[in-house]
Structures are given as structure tokens and as C-alpha cells.
Amino acid sequence: MSMNRPAAAAALAAALCLLTAGCGPSSAGKATDTTAAAPATGYPVTLDNCGVKETFAKAPGRVVVMNGASVAEVSTLLALGLGDRIVANEQSYGMSEVPGRAAAIKKLPTGDVKLNDAYDIPREAMLGLRPDLVLSTTSYGFDRKNGFATRGQLEDVGANTYVSPRGCDQDTSGMTIADSYRLLRDMGKVFGVSDRAEKLIAASEKNIAAVTAKVKGQKKPKVMVLFSNMSMGGNDFSSVVAKGIYNDILARAGGSNAFENASRTSFADLSKEKVAATDVDALVVIGYNDPNPAAYARKLLKEFPQWPAAKNDTYVTLSDSMYLGPSNDVAVRKIAGMLHPNAF
């Protein structure tokens, strides 16, 4: 899938910028629960978010989730049982590793908004939604130059705003699984459901620790992580992951990124020759609104028959579990099972 420049930037920021057998209770287990519990006491709640003090006098009831080429924010709210607070959601990948999540996201209201050229909610439409909380993957979603309502303008109409972890400067190269936990914790505090957030985090940590223990001491295969059928640069392979949360997930699963040093930023823009000259032991193909990422994976393996990955037919397709969000433990388990099948 080819994206224009604003959408590609949002995808980079998002990737900035979801239960499996034998994995135990997943942190994603509440993903389709959209009934929110009564908020706990303890307000006001104040967060320091990208240098902005955001004070919540009560739990938000009219939440708008901006696109940002992400599902981190909407998935986090669903996992916390807060789907009924959303009045407009623009996030969707069309697929998920968590059973029922994609369908739950599809059922959410969109606010009947006509999106702008950046595939997101323009200023006047945003103000017309009368939100009391607006979630954006990065600061891009509150930039006046992009035609969006600024944090100040939203504050003037009584709306709080929140930029997700690592989204302040839109540099996601240092993102880790801990940032997914931070998003859960922050939303837990904002909505008075910290107990739910902590249970999800504890379940995820337990699941990941169990996987990591099983693959400890094993050789770490070199993995190529990339988006299927997506162009974000000038070369044949412009959606190859170099840095970010992906590498943390790979490390926990007993693998390493074959292209970690190919770029200082989250993505590498690589030539076909560079890709062909690199030993790739396994593929992780991320599907972003792609109905058949497995076909893309098989095409790549056929194109580079010299790869160990091609000789052993070693690949896995994922979607939202590889991003910032509540279900990174699912990606860790699935990748570990591909890389070290004898350990499970």
C-alpha cells in the first residue's frame, strides 16, 4: 500500500509508528469489553504530558481518538473497558491478533467526520464533536500547520488532550514495551481504572517473562521486520524497521533485528541490493489494512531464495501487537514460537 507523505509520516510516528495457546492470560484479554466501570475516586488527576500540565476533574465521557496511523490508543481504551466513552474514533487496521478486537473497533462511532488530506480530523470538525478528551499518537495531531485544533484551542473549549508516549517529538526510535505500559497506566489514572491497567500490565509482564525464560541461551536469529505492500521512501524497501518497540519485542522473543544498524531512525529506506546482501533468518511482516500479508511474505521469500528464511519458510504475519499498545505479549509469543519452535 502506497501512502502520501502526511499519512506516511503518521505511520512512522505510530510505529513510533494484539491470546495464544500456552501463553496464559493475555494482557489483551479485555479487548472487546466496552462497558466501563464506575470511575474510582481520587480526582483531580494531573499528568505532565509533553510539557503540558493536563488536569482531569473527573473521568472523560466524550473521547475523540485521532488517526495517527495507529490503534494503540483505541485498543488501550477497549482493553480497559472504556469503549462507551468514545464519541469518535478514526483508528483502524482492519485486523488484529486479538480475537474480536478488529470487530469491536469497527463498531465504534466515527463522528461522521470528513477527514482532511492527512487522513485525520480537521480543526472545525474536531471542535464540533465537543470532546472532553482528545488522544493523539504524536504531537502531529495538534499541529496548527496540519489543519488540526491545537492543544490550546481544545483547552479553550474544555477539552483535555493527550499525546502518547514517545510522541512528543515524533521520534519513536527509542520506544520500548515499557511505553505501552505507560500508556495503559496513564489512561488508567485518567479514567479512574488504575486497577484494571495494573492487572493488564502484570499479565503482560508474566506472559513475556515466561517466553523469555524459554528462549534464554538460544541463538538469536536475524529477523527482517517490514510492512507489507507499503512505500514510505524512494527505494524498493522503504518500510523496513530499524529501531523502536519492534526491537524490544524481538529481543524478548529471542531474536535480533537484521537491519538495526541500517538507520538512526525508526525505518530504513533500503535498496534491493542491500536487502539481498543481508542474511535474513526469519521474516515478520506487519499488515496495515492489508487483507493478505502472508502473500507478501511468500513473495519476498521467493524473491530472495538465498535467505535462510526462504530455505526454511520461516515467517510470521502480525498487525497491532507489534505496535505501542496493550498486547505486545502476543507478538513476543508468536515471534518466539516462529524462531524457537522446539522451546514450546
Side-chain angles (χ1 to χ4, degrees):
M1 177 177 65
S2 179
M3 303 178 69
N4 67 16
R5 186 171 297 275
L12 294 179
L16 31 211
C17 146
L18 252 169
L19 299 182
T20 56
C23 197
S26 170
S27 64
K30 296 290 186 179
T32 59
D33 178 7
T34 58
T35 303
T41 58
Y43 291 94
V45 169
T46 300
L47 297 179
D48 186 346
N49 183 241
C50 296
V52 177
K53 294 286 186 181
E54 292 286 340
T55 299
F56 299 80
K58 61 180 181 179
R62 293 186 59 82
V63 183
V64 174
V65 184
M66 299 189 74
N67 182 357
S70 174
V71 285
E73 293 74 29
V74 69
S75 295
T76 296
L77 294 182
L78 288 177
L80 290 169
L82 299 167
D84 63 342
R85 308 299 179 90
I86 300 172
V87 297
N89 169 59
E90 306 306 333
Q91 295 186 346
S92 174
Y93 281 174
M95 59 188 71
S96 173
E97 278 77 73
V98 177
R101 177 169 289 168
I105 292 175
K106 188 175 182 179
K107 291 178 181 178
L108 292 171
T110 63
D112 296 321
V113 173
K114 182 180 179 181
L115 303 182
N116 59 17
D117 291 340
Y119 299 98
D120 222 324
I121 305 174
R123 180 184 302 108
E124 294 305 317
M126 176 64 77
L127 298 177
L129 290 169
R130 299 181 293 108
D132 58 8
L133 173 61
V134 179
L135 302 179
S136 178
T137 302
T138 72
S139 56
Y140 179 91
F142 298 120
D143 193 328
R144 187 192 306 269
K145 298 192 302 292
N146 301 324
F148 300 128
T150 67
R151 301 188 77 169
Q153 289 170 334
L154 288 162
E155 182 182 10
D156 289 342
V157 298
N160 287 99
T161 49
Y162 180 86
V163 177
S164 290
R166 303 280 179 172
C168 301
D169 57 4
Q170 303 185 47
D171 178 7
T172 62
S173 59
M175 183 177 284
T176 67
I177 294 172
D179 293 304
S180 293
Y181 297 156
R182 180 182 167 191
L183 177 57
L184 274 166
R185 283 199 172 99
D186 283 353
M187 292 300 100
K189 293 174 183 176
V190 166
F191 289 92
V193 291
S194 289
D195 57 336
R196 292 189 181 192
E198 293 304 325
K199 287 179 181 178
L200 291 173
I201 292 167
S204 175
E205 290 177 329
K206 181 179 179 181
N207 291 340
I208 291 174
V211 171
T212 301
K214 289 184 177 181
V215 301
K216 184 178 180 180
Q218 302 264 10
K219 181 180 178 181
K220 296 183 177 182
K222 295 179 180 180
V223 184
M224 181 182 190
V225 182
L226 78 168
F227 291 80
S228 60
N229 295 308
M230 183 181 290
S231 175
M232 292 191 276
N235 284 297
D236 294 322
F237 294 89
S238 57
S239 64
V240 177
V241 169
K243 292 177 172 61
I245 194 170
Y246 318 92
N247 290 358
D248 192 14
I249 291 171
L250 288 177
R252 309 290 187 101
S256 62
N257 188 339
F259 297 95
E260 181 175 3
N261 297 320
S263 174
R264 294 182 180 180
T265 60
S266 297
F267 289 87
D269 188 5
L270 305 175
S271 67
K272 182 176 180 179
E273 290 74 21
K274 171 66 176 177
V275 171
T278 303
D279 284 334
V280 173
D281 298 315
L283 278 180
V284 174
V285 174
I286 305 172
Y288 175 82
N289 282 320
D290 183 347
N292 196 355
Y296 180 78
R298 291 191 293 269
K299 176 184 175 183
L300 274 185
L301 295 178
K302 185 176 181 180
E303 186 174 1
F304 300 100
Q306 74 276 15
W307 284 349
K311 296 174 182 177
N312 300 312
D313 195 32
T314 308
Y315 74 91
V316 67
T317 62
L318 297 171
S319 57
D320 49 355
S321 64
M322 280 296 285
Y323 294 96
L324 180 75
S327 308
N328 298 145
D329 57 325
V330 178
V332 171
R333 174 62 180 85
K334 285 183 174 290
I335 294 172
M338 169 189 66
L339 298 178
H340 307 286
N342 294 332
F344 296 91

